[in-house]
Amino acid sequence: MNCQNVGTIGSAVYELARKVANDIGTTVEVPEHGVPNKKKWRELYRLINEHYDTVVFILDELDMLVGRRDKDEPAFSRLLYQLSRAGSTDDITAQVSVTAITNDTKMMENVGSRALSSFTPEDVHFSDYDATQLREILRARKDAFHEDTLSGDVIPLAAAFAAQTNGDARKAIDLMRTAGSIAEKTNADEVREQHVREAQDKVEKNRVLEVTRGISTQKKLCLFATAAVARETGTGAAKSPPGYRVYQYLTDTLDSEQYHQETYVNKMKELTTYSLVETERKSQGPHSGSYLEFTFGENPETIIETLREDSRLDDVHDDELRSVVNAQINQ
């Protein structure tokens, strides 16, 4: 099951049951909506027990299954807990194995203690592609273009951009495809460096838009405020205290509901599951406590521009925002 668009744990359980039912040529006997999750679990167990001796659950992009938070435990943690303990509680009589696939190396840090005690995986790590490997991957696909239409710097630049963002081969391919599309639309005789740079901006923005389209207004405000701080620091990172103070400025400006700092931090933590930001706790010294630092995987400016497509942020003027941010950074 690909977990990217599943949403909630109830939807995840139903989707697993549906896949099992399709595999054995039958139908799920409970509705997708309007019933407790316990009934969906029982239906999944029934289908497995009646038709299988061994079952392997493969959960792709598991970190994307955030769901509704329950005591700060994401849906993927609860799913792992139920599946990994089902065999030991005799809910499933078949032998059970669970494979979780994720790009987020810190996903297990967000798994609850109950799930950690029952789900004890053997890690298999696939290293990121480096720029040299990405160049080879792109050269193998250059036949998608007419001969002599790629300038010599296109493949190295696309590979370098992709290598900077976790060595993602899909991004490298998408960059070259988008650069080709931009060149074609402008009637250029070949794909050049400038087209790759334009493609980089477009691909980054599309990814941020895809992630942010479905998140709540409060998460957008938390993300916008934190990205605004990261933009001014110039490091792509923002500390939680100034991030929260800028969030307060935004909610005051927009006359929106304002949450406490703990809730702001929790909402930013939730955004780590979308691979937009990473968090790291840092110390301010032996007598000054600690804070969270949020590091962005995408350009903070791109995140700000994308979020500004929400008309509710029209009342936040960029000059004033920058002034507020710099005042908070320098406190």
Side-chain angles (χ1 to χ4, degrees), residues 260-324:
H260 294 297
Q261 185 166 351
E262 182 182 359
T263 304
Y264 157 79
V265 167
N266 285 338
K267 289 189 179 298
M268 286 303 300
K269 283 182 178 178
E270 289 174 22
L271 289 167
T272 63
T273 61
Y274 299 102
S275 300
L276 281 180
V277 292
E278 292 185 355
T279 64
E280 183 179 357
R281 183 163 294 282
K282 293 193 172 183
S283 173
Q284 300 185 93
H287 305 295
S288 303
S290 62
Y291 62 89
L292 277 181
E293 184 172 79
F294 302 107
T295 303
F296 285 84
E298 306 288 352
N299 186 338
E301 184 68 54
T302 301
I303 292 173
I304 292 169
E305 290 177 2
T306 306
L307 289 173
R308 277 198 177 278
E309 295 188 9
D310 188 329
S311 60
R312 287 171 291 191
L313 289 167
D314 288 348
D315 291 336
V316 179
H317 302 293
D318 204 55
D319 289 345
E320 184 178 335
L321 174 64
R322 287 179 181 271
S323 176
V324 169

Coordinates of all heavy atoms in Angstrom, one line a residue, residues 260-324:
H260 N -0.8 28.3 21.8 CA 0.4 28.4 22.6 C 1.6 27.9 21.9 O 1.5 27.2 20.9 CB 0.2 27.7 23.9 CG -0.9 28.2 24.8 ND1 -0.9 29.5 25.3 CD2 -2.1 27.7 25.2 CE1 -1.9 29.7 26.0 NE2 -2.7 28.7 26.0
Q261 N 2.8 28.2 22.4 CA 4.0 27.9 21.7 C 4.1 26.3 21.6 O 4.7 25.8 20.6 CB 5.2 28.4 22.5 CG 6.5 28.2 21.8 CD 7.7 29.0 22.3 OE1 7.5 29.9 23.1 NE2 8.9 28.8 21.8
E262 N 3.7 25.6 22.6 CA 3.8 24.1 22.5 C 3.0 23.6 21.3 O 3.5 22.7 20.6 CB 3.2 23.5 23.8 CG 3.3 22.0 23.8 CD 2.7 21.4 25.1 OE1 2.3 22.2 26.0 OE2 2.7 20.2 25.2
T263 N 1.8 24.2 21.0 CA 1.0 23.7 19.9 C 1.7 24.1 18.6 O 1.7 23.3 17.6 CB -0.4 24.3 19.9 OG1 -1.0 24.0 21.2 CG2 -1.2 23.8 18.8
Y264 N 2.3 25.3 18.5 CA 3.1 25.7 17.4 C 4.2 24.7 17.1 O 4.4 24.3 15.9 CB 3.6 27.1 17.6 CG 4.8 27.5 16.8 CD1 4.7 27.8 15.4 CD2 6.1 27.4 17.3 CE1 5.9 28.1 14.7 CE2 7.3 27.7 16.6 CZ 7.1 28.1 15.2 OH 8.2 28.3 14.5
V265 N 4.9 24.4 18.1 CA 6.0 23.4 18.0 C 5.5 22.1 17.5 O 6.1 21.5 16.6 CB 6.8 23.3 19.3 CG1 7.8 22.1 19.2 CG2 7.6 24.5 19.6
N266 N 4.4 21.6 18.0 CA 3.8 20.3 17.6 C 3.4 20.3 16.2 O 3.6 19.3 15.5 CB 2.7 19.9 18.5 CG 3.1 19.5 19.9 OD1 4.3 19.0 20.1 ND2 2.2 19.6 20.9
K267 N 2.8 21.4 15.7 CA 2.4 21.5 14.3 C 3.6 21.5 13.4 O 3.5 20.9 12.3 CB 1.5 22.7 14.1 CG 0.1 22.6 14.8 CD -0.8 23.7 14.4 CE -2.2 23.4 15.1 NZ -2.8 22.2 14.7
M268 N 4.7 22.2 13.8 CA 5.9 22.1 13.0 C 6.5 20.7 13.0 O 7.0 20.3 11.9 CB 6.9 23.2 13.5 CG 6.6 24.6 13.2 SD 6.3 24.9 11.4 CE 8.0 24.5 10.8
K269 N 6.4 20.0 14.1 CA 6.9 18.7 14.1 C 6.1 17.8 13.2 O 6.7 16.9 12.5 CB 6.8 18.1 15.5 CG 7.9 18.6 16.5 CD 7.7 17.9 17.8 CE 8.7 18.3 18.9 NZ 8.5 17.6 20.2
E270 N 4.8 18.0 13.1 CA 4.0 17.2 12.2 C 4.4 17.4 10.7 O 4.3 16.5 9.9 CB 2.5 17.6 12.4 CG 1.9 17.2 13.7 CD 0.5 17.7 13.9 OE1 -0.2 18.1 12.9 OE2 0.0 17.7 15.1
L271 N 4.8 18.6 10.4 CA 5.2 18.9 9.1 C 6.5 18.2 8.7 O 6.8 18.1 7.5 CB 5.4 20.4 8.9 CG 4.1 21.2 8.9 CD1 4.4 22.7 9.0 CD2 3.3 21.0 7.6
T272 N 7.2 17.7 9.6 CA 8.4 16.9 9.3 C 8.1 15.6 8.5 O 8.9 15.1 7.8 CB 9.3 16.5 10.6 OG1 8.4 15.6 11.4 CG2 9.7 17.7 11.3
T273 N 6.8 15.1 8.7 CA 6.4 13.9 8.0 C 6.2 14.1 6.5 O 6.2 13.2 5.8 CB 5.1 13.3 8.6 OG1 4.1 14.3 8.5 CG2 5.3 13.0 10.1
Y274 N 6.1 15.4 6.1 CA 6.0 15.7 4.7 C 7.4 16.0 4.1 O 7.5 16.4 2.9 CB 5.1 16.9 4.5 CG 3.7 16.8 5.0 CD1 3.3 17.3 6.2 CD2 2.8 16.0 4.2 CE1 2.0 17.1 6.6 CE2 1.5 15.9 4.7 CZ 1.1 16.4 5.9 OH -0.2 16.2 6.3
S275 N 8.4 15.9 4.9 CA 9.8 16.1 4.5 C 10.1 17.6 4.0 O 10.9 17.9 3.3 CB 10.2 15.2 3.3 OG 10.1 13.9 3.7
L276 N 9.2 18.5 4.6 CA 9.5 19.9 4.3 C 10.5 20.5 5.2 O 11.3 21.4 4.9 CB 8.1 20.7 4.5 CG 7.1 20.7 3.3 CD1 5.9 21.5 3.7 CD2 7.8 21.2 2.0
V277 N 10.5 20.0 6.5 CA 11.4 20.5 7.5 C 12.0 19.4 8.3 O 11.4 18.3 8.4 CB 10.8 21.5 8.4 CG1 10.4 22.8 7.7 CG2 9.6 21.0 9.1
E278 N 13.1 19.6 8.9 CA 13.7 18.6 9.8 C 13.9 19.4 11.2 O 14.1 20.6 11.2 CB 15.0 18.1 9.4 CG 14.9 17.2 8.2 CD 16.3 16.6 7.8 OE1 17.3 16.9 8.4 OE2 16.3 15.7 6.9
T279 N 13.8 18.7 12.3 CA 13.9 19.3 13.6 C 15.1 18.8 14.3 O 15.4 17.6 14.2 CB 12.6 19.1 14.4 OG1 12.5 17.7 14.7 CG2 11.4 19.6 13.7
E280 N 15.7 19.6 15.1 CA 16.8 19.2 15.9 C 16.8 20.0 17.2 O 16.6 21.3 17.2 CB 18.1 19.4 15.2 CG 19.3 18.9 16.0 CD 20.7 19.1 15.3 OE1 20.6 19.6 14.1 OE2 21.7 18.8 15.9
R281 N 16.8 19.4 18.4 CA 16.8 20.1 19.6 C 18.3 20.6 19.9 O 19.2 19.8 19.9 CB 16.3 19.2 20.8 CG 16.2 20.0 22.1 CD 15.3 19.3 23.1 NE 13.9 19.2 22.7 CZ 13.1 20.3 22.8 NH1 13.5 21.4 23.3 NH2 11.8 20.2 22.4
K282 N 18.4 21.9 20.3 CA 19.7 22.4 20.6 C 19.7 23.1 21.9 O 18.6 23.6 22.4 CB 20.1 23.4 19.5 CG 20.4 22.7 18.1 CD 21.1 23.6 17.2 CE 21.5 22.8 15.9 NZ 22.3 23.7 15.0
S283 N 20.8 23.3 22.5 CA 20.9 23.9 23.8 C 21.4 25.4 23.7 O 22.3 25.6 22.8 CB 21.9 23.1 24.7 OG 22.1 23.8 25.9
Q284 N 20.9 26.2 24.5 CA 21.3 27.6 24.5 C 22.4 27.9 25.6 O 22.9 29.0 25.8 CB 20.2 28.6 24.8 CG 19.1 28.5 23.7 CD 18.0 29.5 23.9 OE1 18.0 30.6 23.4 NE2 17.0 29.2 24.8
G285 N 22.8 26.8 26.2 CA 23.8 26.9 27.3 C 23.3 26.2 28.6 O 22.1 25.9 28.7
P286 N 24.2 26.0 29.6 CA 23.8 25.3 30.8 C 22.7 25.9 31.6 O 22.0 25.2 32.3 CB 25.1 25.3 31.6 CG 25.9 26.4 31.0 CD 25.6 26.5 29.6
H287 N 22.5 27.2 31.5 CA 21.4 27.9 32.3 C 20.3 28.5 31.5 O 19.5 29.3 32.0 CB 22.1 29.0 33.2 CG 23.3 28.5 34.0 ND1 23.1 27.6 35.0 CD2 24.6 28.7 33.9 CE1 24.3 27.3 35.6 NE2 25.2 28.0 34.9
S288 N 20.3 28.3 30.2 CA 19.4 29.0 29.3 C 18.3 28.0 28.7 O 17.5 28.5 27.8 CB 20.1 29.7 28.2 OG 21.0 30.6 28.8
G289 N 18.4 26.8 29.0 CA 17.4 25.8 28.4 C 17.7 25.4 27.0 O 18.9 25.6 26.5
S290 N 16.7 24.9 26.3 CA 17.0 24.4 24.9 C 15.8 24.9 24.0 O 14.9 25.5 24.4 CB 17.0 22.9 24.9 OG 15.8 22.3 25.3
Y291 N 16.0 24.7 22.7 CA 15.0 25.1 21.7 C 15.1 24.1 20.6 O 16.0 23.4 20.4 CB 15.3 26.5 21.2 CG 16.6 26.7 20.5 CD1 16.8 26.5 19.2 CD2 17.8 27.0 21.2 CE1 18.0 26.6 18.5 CE2 19.0 27.1 20.6 CZ 19.1 26.9 19.2 OH 20.3 27.0 18.6
L292 N 14.1 24.2 19.7 CA 14.1 23.4 18.5 C 14.5 24.2 17.3 O 14.2 25.4 17.2 CB 12.7 22.8 18.2 CG 12.2 21.6 18.9 CD1 10.8 21.2 18.5 CD2 13.2 20.4 18.7
E293 N 15.3 23.6 16.5 CA 15.7 24.3 15.3 C 15.1 23.6 14.1 O 15.2 22.4 14.0 CB 17.3 24.4 15.1 CG 17.7 25.1 13.9 CD 19.2 25.3 13.8 OE1 19.9 24.4 13.4 OE2 19.7 26.4 14.2
F294 N 14.4 24.3 13.2 CA 13.8 23.8 12.0 C 14.6 24.1 10.8 O 14.9 25.3 10.5 CB 12.4 24.4 11.9 CG 11.5 24.2 13.1 CD1 11.2 25.2 13.9 CD2 11.0 22.9 13.4 CE1 10.4 25.0 15.0 CE2 10.2 22.7 14.5 CZ 9.8 23.8 15.3
T295 N 15.0 23.1 10.1 CA 15.8 23.2 8.9 C 15.0 22.8 7.7 O 14.4 21.7 7.7 CB 17.1 22.4 8.9 OG1 17.8 22.7 10.1 CG2 18.0 22.6 7.7
F296 N 14.9 23.7 6.7 CA 14.1 23.4 5.5 C 14.8 22.7 4.5 O 15.9 22.9 4.1 CB 13.6 24.8 5.0 CG 12.5 25.4 5.8 CD1 12.8 26.2 6.9 CD2 11.2 25.2 5.5 CE1 11.8 26.8 7.7 CE2 10.2 25.8 6.3 CZ 10.5 26.5 7.4
G297 N 14.0 21.7 3.9 CA 14.6 20.9 2.8 C 14.4 21.6 1.4 O 15.1 21.3 0.5
E298 N 13.5 22.6 1.4 CA 13.3 23.4 0.2 C 13.7 24.9 0.5 O 13.8 25.2 1.7 CB 11.8 23.4 -0.2 CG 11.3 22.0 -0.5 CD 11.8 21.3 -1.7 OE1 12.5 21.9 -2.5 OE2 11.5 20.1 -1.9
N299 N 13.8 25.7 -0.5 CA 14.2 27.1 -0.3 C 13.0 27.8 0.4 O 11.9 27.7 0.0 CB 14.3 27.7 -1.7 CG 14.8 29.1 -1.6 OD1 14.7 29.8 -0.6 ND2 15.4 29.6 -2.7
P300 N 13.3 28.4 1.6 CA 12.2 29.1 2.3 C 11.5 30.1 1.5 O 10.2 30.3 1.7 CB 13.0 29.7 3.5 CG 14.2 28.9 3.7 CD 14.6 28.5 2.3
E301 N 12.1 30.8 0.6 CA 11.5 31.7 -0.3 C 10.4 31.1 -1.2 O 9.3 31.6 -1.4 CB 12.5 32.4 -1.2 CG 11.9 33.5 -2.1 CD 11.4 34.7 -1.3 OE1 12.2 35.3 -0.5 OE2 10.2 35.1 -1.4
T302 N 10.7 29.8 -1.6 CA 9.7 29.1 -2.4 C 8.5 28.7 -1.6 O 7.4 28.8 -2.1 CB 10.4 27.8 -3.0 OG1 11.5 28.1 -3.8 CG2 9.4 27.0 -3.8
I303 N 8.7 28.4 -0.4 CA 7.6 28.0 0.5 C 6.7 29.2 0.8 O 5.5 29.2 0.7 CB 8.2 27.4 1.8 CG1 8.8 26.1 1.6 CG2 7.0 27.3 2.9 CD1 9.5 25.5 2.8
I304 N 7.4 30.4 1.0 CA 6.6 31.6 1.2 C 5.8 32.0 0.0 O 4.6 32.3 0.1 CB 7.6 32.8 1.6 CG1 8.2 32.5 3.0 CG2 6.9 34.1 1.6 CD1 9.3 33.4 3.4
E305 N 6.4 32.0 -1.2 CA 5.7 32.3 -2.4 C 4.6 31.4 -2.6 O 3.5 31.8 -3.1 CB 6.7 32.3 -3.6 CG 7.7 33.4 -3.6 CD 8.7 33.2 -4.7 OE1 8.5 32.2 -5.5 OE2 9.7 34.0 -4.9
T306 N 4.7 30.1 -2.4 CA 3.7 29.1 -2.6 C 2.5 29.3 -1.6 O 1.4 29.3 -2.0 CB 4.2 27.7 -2.5 OG1 5.4 27.5 -3.3 CG2 3.2 26.7 -2.8
L307 N 2.8 29.6 -0.4 CA 1.8 29.8 0.6 C 1.0 31.1 0.4 O -0.2 31.2 0.7 CB 2.4 29.8 2.0 CG 2.9 28.4 2.6 CD1 3.6 28.6 3.9 CD2 1.7 27.5 2.7
R308 N 1.7 32.0 -0.3 CA 1.0 33.3 -0.6 C -0.1 33.2 -1.6 O -0.9 34.1 -1.9 CB 2.0 34.4 -1.0 CG 2.7 35.0 0.2 CD 3.4 36.3 -0.3 NE 4.0 37.1 0.8 CZ 3.3 37.9 1.7 NH1 2.0 38.0 1.5 NH2 4.0 38.5 2.6
E309 N -0.2 32.0 -2.3 CA -1.3 31.8 -3.2 C -2.6 31.7 -2.4 O -3.7 31.7 -3.1 CB -1.0 30.5 -4.0 CG 0.2 30.7 -4.9 CD 0.4 29.5 -5.9 OE1 -0.5 28.7 -6.0 OE2 1.4 29.5 -6.6
D310 N -2.5 31.5 -1.1 CA -3.7 31.5 -0.3 C -4.0 33.0 0.0 O -3.3 33.7 0.6 CB -3.4 30.8 1.1 CG -4.7 30.7 1.9 OD1 -5.6 31.5 1.8 OD2 -4.8 29.7 2.7
S311 N -5.2 33.5 -0.5 CA -5.5 34.9 -0.5 C -5.6 35.4 1.0 O -5.6 36.6 1.2 CB -6.9 35.1 -1.2 OG -7.9 34.4 -0.6
R312 N -5.8 34.5 1.9 CA -5.9 35.0 3.3 C -4.6 35.6 3.8 O -4.6 36.3 4.8 CB -6.3 33.8 4.2 CG -7.7 33.4 4.1 CD -8.0 32.1 4.8 NE -7.3 30.9 4.2 CZ -7.6 29.7 4.5 NH1 -8.4 29.4 5.5 NH2 -6.9 28.7 3.9
L313 N -3.5 35.4 3.1 CA -2.2 36.0 3.5 C -1.9 37.3 2.8 O -0.9 37.9 2.9 CB -1.1 35.0 3.2 CG -1.0 33.8 4.1 CD1 -0.1 32.7 3.6 CD2 -0.6 34.2 5.5
D314 N -2.9 37.8 2.0 CA -2.7 39.1 1.3 C -2.5 40.2 2.2 O -1.8 41.2 1.8 CB -4.0 39.4 0.4 CG -4.1 38.4 -0.8 OD1 -3.1 37.7 -1.1 OD2 -5.1 38.4 -1.4
D315 N -3.0 40.2 3.4 CA -2.9 41.3 4.4 C -1.5 41.3 5.1 O -1.2 42.2 5.8 CB -4.0 41.2 5.5 CG -5.3 41.5 4.9 OD1 -5.4 42.2 3.9 OD2 -6.3 41.1 5.5
V316 N -0.7 40.3 4.8 CA 0.7 40.3 5.4 C 1.6 40.9 4.3 O 1.9 40.2 3.3 CB 1.1 38.8 5.7 CG1 2.5 38.8 6.3 CG2 0.1 38.2 6.7
H317 N 2.1 42.1 4.6 CA 2.9 42.8 3.6 C 4.4 42.4 3.8 O 4.9 42.4 5.0 CB 2.7 44.3 3.7 CG 1.3 44.7 3.5 ND1 0.7 44.6 2.3 CD2 0.4 45.2 4.4 CE1 -0.5 45.0 2.4 NE2 -0.8 45.4 3.6
D318 N 5.1 42.1 2.7 CA 6.4 41.5 2.9 C 7.4 42.4 3.6 O 8.2 41.9 4.4 CB 6.9 41.1 1.5 CG 8.0 40.0 1.6 OD1 7.7 38.9 2.2 OD2 9.1 40.2 1.1
D319 N 7.4 43.7 3.3 CA 8.4 44.6 3.9 C 8.2 44.6 5.4 O 9.1 44.6 6.2 CB 8.2 46.0 3.4 CG 8.7 46.2 1.9 OD1 9.4 45.2 1.5 OD2 8.3 47.2 1.3
E320 N 6.9 44.7 5.9 CA 6.6 44.7 7.3 C 7.0 43.4 7.9 O 7.6 43.3 9.0 CB 5.2 45.0 7.5 CG 4.8 45.1 9.0 CD 3.4 45.5 9.2 OE1 2.7 46.1 8.3 OE2 2.8 45.1 10.3
L321 N 6.7 42.3 7.2 CA 7.1 40.9 7.7 C 8.6 40.8 7.9 O 9.0 40.3 8.9 CB 6.6 39.9 6.7 CG 7.0 38.4 7.0 CD1 6.4 37.9 8.3 CD2 6.6 37.5 5.8
R322 N 9.4 41.2 6.9 CA 10.8 41.2 7.1 C 11.3 42.0 8.3 O 12.2 41.6 9.0 CB 11.5 41.7 5.8 CG 11.4 40.7 4.6 CD 12.1 41.3 3.4 NE 12.0 40.4 2.2 CZ 12.9 39.5 1.9 NH1 13.9 39.3 2.7 NH2 12.7 38.7 0.8
S323 N 10.7 43.2 8.5 CA 11.1 44.0 9.6 C 10.8 43.3 10.9 O 11.6 43.3 11.8 CB 10.3 45.3 9.5 OG 10.6 46.2 10.6
V324 N 9.6 42.7 11.0 CA 9.2 42.0 12.2 C 10.2 40.8 12.5 O 10.7 40.6 13.6 CB 7.8 41.5 12.1 CG1 7.5 40.5 13.3 CG2 6.8 42.7 12.2

